[in-house]
Structures are given as structure tokens and as C-alpha cells.
Amino acid sequence: SKREGFSTIPNVKWEDVGGLDFLRKEFDRYIVRRIKYPEDYEGFGVDLETGFLLYGPPGCGKTLIAKAVANEAGANFIHIKGPELLNKYVGESELAVRTLFSRARTCSPCILFFDEVDALATKRGKEGGWVVERLLNQLLIELDGAEQRQGVFVIGATNRPGVMDRAILRPGRFGKLLYVPLPSPDERGLILKALGRKKPIDASVDLSALGRMEACENFSGADLAALMNEAAMVALEDKLTSTKSTSDAAPCTIKSTHFERALGKIS
Ligand code: ATP
């Protein structure tokens, strides 16, 4: 697996993200165009936010969007999992935070993505303890050095916005809060289409209708990804079985029956 804090342009495209058009528009305005066409932003004296907090239930595309934004902007992406910064010796956590921001500046334009950011920014005096408190203070120092953060954008992600220290949610820090909801029935169809882009889905399969089915109620994007993968496995199983018994060309698309069987398996 990759080194912690390793930076590279992710290969997630917007076509890989289903639904979430509102977020796409926001990020286009706040990050992508700003990186690609900075001259468009000159002369208005507008102070635009550079820090964002994506919050909402697990598996709904927070990480995916952040990567797509970086890809779209042609920016480097540094992925930090909040809790990883905590398993350090005294003083090491603060140093790690300083190093991250300094690395981000070096490879700007860059998106610094803090997954499970609540682990670093729990309300002071609450569950975090003093290690978190010192880490949080260091994070605030780095976030407030915005003038030296040219071309560095920070995106945090959390399932538990309520436990976060209010100080970190101010403008200039993780100042813009964006909710990433569970998909609606129609959005489930869009997510299935995005997930199926590189899979041999049979032309007879109606992914929009599948997304609207009651069996998919309350599915997150991650649940839909599991469904898609299971359907592909069932289809592959069929192909392998039939290849054994006949020399004819084997069926090699994912059909409605495969999705039905997959639904039976995962729910
Ligand atoms: P967590 O809070 O658990 O970290 P998350 O919101 O960051 O979750 P992701 O890691 O982005 O969720 O999503 C997990 C997987 O689910 C993705 O890799 C993708 O396969 C699928 N997925 C989730 N949401 C979407 C979506 N909107 N479009 C396409 N795929 C999605």
C-alpha cells in the first residue's frame, strides 16, 4: 500500500461519481476553476473559502468526490487518515502535521484530504485527551497560515460532525460545510451507471429501474458497489460453469438475473 501522505493525481473521474451534482458545482467554482483559470477570479476582491468539510453517512462518496476534484483540477492529492496521525510519540503528531502542510505547498496545486478528520478535531476536553488537543492546535496554526497556502486546498470528511471542535469549522479553516447524503432512488440508478461504466452490463438491464427498487432502499454508494461486484461475480460464475460443459461461446455479460441473485446474497 501507499506511503502515508504520498501525493499523486488520482485517477477518479467525475463520470465515476454518481449523482451529487450540487457538490460538483460547488467544487467546480471553489477549487477546479480556481486552479485552472485563476485569472477569472481576479479583480473582484472576493475572499473565497479554501477549506471544506464533507459530512454525512458512511460510504456515500466523500472520498470519491475529493479524488475526482483533484483529478479534474489536475492537482496532487494527499490522503491522510485522521487516526493515523494520532499513533505517534509525544511531539511527533505536531511534526507530522507541519510536514504534511509543507509537503502540500511543495507540490501545489494540491488537495490535502483528511479522512475521519473528527479524530483530530474532537471538542477540546472531550474524548480526545491532550494528544488530540496539541494536534488540533497545530492543525489550526497550519490552517490559519492561509496566505502561505497558495494553491493548497483542504477537504475534511467525517460521519460525526457533531463531535468536532467548533473552532476548526470557522471560515479559513474547514469553513465550508457540505452535506453528502444517502442517494435518492434516482441517484441510486446514477451511481449504478457510474459503477457499471467499465463492466459488461447486458443491454437489457435497466439500471435506473434497479436503483428504484425497494430492495435497494437505504443503500449507500458503497452498498451499491457491493451489489455491482456481487452481480459481476455471479455472472462470472455462470460463465465459468458453462465454459466447462460446452465449447460454445460463453455468456459474458451481466444480466438482470445476476443482479437479482446478487441482491438475494447481499441483503
Ligand atoms: P466513509 O465515510 O466510510 O469513509 P465515504 O463517504 O468516503 O465513506 P467513499 O469511500 O467515497 O465513501 O465510497 C466508498 C465506495 O462506494 C467508493 O469507492 C465507490 O465504489 C462507492 N460509492 C460511494 N458513493 C458513490 C457515488 N456517489 N458514486 C459512485 N460510487 C460511489
Side-chain angles (χ1 to χ4, degrees), residues 154-181:
V154 293
I155 303 179
T158 180
N159 307 320
R160 310 187 301 157
V163 307
M164 291 183 60
D165 197 282
R166 299 298 297 265
I168 205 152
L169 305 178
R170 286 196 207 126
R173 295 169 177 176
F174 292 96
K176 196 165 174 60
L177 272 60
L178 299 165
Y179 182 53
V180 185

Side-chain angles (χ1 to χ4, degrees), residues 12 14-20 54 56-67 79 113 115-116 157-159 180-181 183 187 190-192 194-195 220-226:
V12 176
W14 262 112
E15 299 91 88
D16 297 317
V17 183
L20 304 174
L54 298 173
C60 289
K62 295 185 284 299
T63 310
L64 206 62
I65 302 167
K67 287 184 175 169
H79 191 161
F113 180 67
D115 211 352
E116 299 177 61
T158 180
N159 307 320
V180 185
E187 285 165 334
L190 295 174
I191 292 175
L192 284 168
L195 290 165
S220 66
D223 295 329
L224 294 165

